Amino acid sequence: MSQSPTQQEVPVTEGANVSERQSLDVLDQLMKPEVQESLTVLVENLPKLAEMVTAMTKAYDFAQSVATDKVLISDTMSAMGEFAKPVVDKAKGVASAAIEANDRAQAEQTSVGLFAMLKMLKDPNVQQTLRFAQSFLSILNERQQQQR
């Protein structure tokens, strides 16, 4: 039984030593000139820091209220869905047209001759595509010249 109280006293003494060491470490840190200069700067700027913390707290509170507002989240998602729907529909239309064009091109075995190409050049869609390709390549060339 005499060993039990001794064992309990050792941790208390060790805990006190650790606490004293930590206090000395903190005091040693506070005695460094660079730490004292930093503390002086902090004290001089406390009004600004307090103002910044207040503004950040208000911003955090606002962001928190916005993030947890179910109605706002629902309305935002609905608006984004309405905005994205036409884009998604157009992308689906282009994708389905590309798939159908690929299927037709694979099924057709005839070669395209010179006169067929000249006839295609009269098509307004081909003309628009060629103008786009020409403009696109021109812009890429201009940017490449600017980078040099």
Side-chain angles (χ1 to χ4, degrees), residues 67-144:
T68 57
D69 187 357
K70 302 290 184 195
V71 173
L72 180 64
I73 292 171
S74 171
D75 290 347
T76 302
M77 295 302 287
S78 173
M80 289 176 68
E82 288 176 17
F83 175 76
K85 186 173 177 13
V87 175
V88 170
D89 290 345
K90 186 162 188 161
K92 285 181 182 178
V94 169
S96 69
I99 291 169
E100 185 178 345
N102 184 42
D103 292 343
R104 284 187 191 178
Q106 293 295 328
E108 204 170 301
Q109 297 298 320
T110 61
S111 61
V112 178
L114 179 62
F115 291 112
M117 287 181 66
L118 290 173
K119 184 178 178 186
M120 282 192 284
L121 285 174
K122 293 181 180 180
D123 185 358
N125 289 326
V126 172
Q127 286 293 314
Q128 183 180 6
T129 304
L130 290 173
R131 282 192 302 272
F132 172 80
Q134 183 180 21
S135 298
F136 183 73
L137 293 173
S138 174
I139 289 170
L140 287 179
N141 188 29
E142 290 170 7
R143 290 185 181 176
Q144 187 177 24

Side-chain angles (χ1 to χ4, degrees), residues 38-59:
S38 298
L39 286 173
T40 302
V41 170
L42 282 173
V43 169
E44 289 173 356
N45 290 311
L46 273 177
K48 292 178 186 176
L49 291 172
E51 187 177 327
M52 287 174 51
V53 168
T54 302
M56 288 173 40
T57 302
K58 288 179 182 177

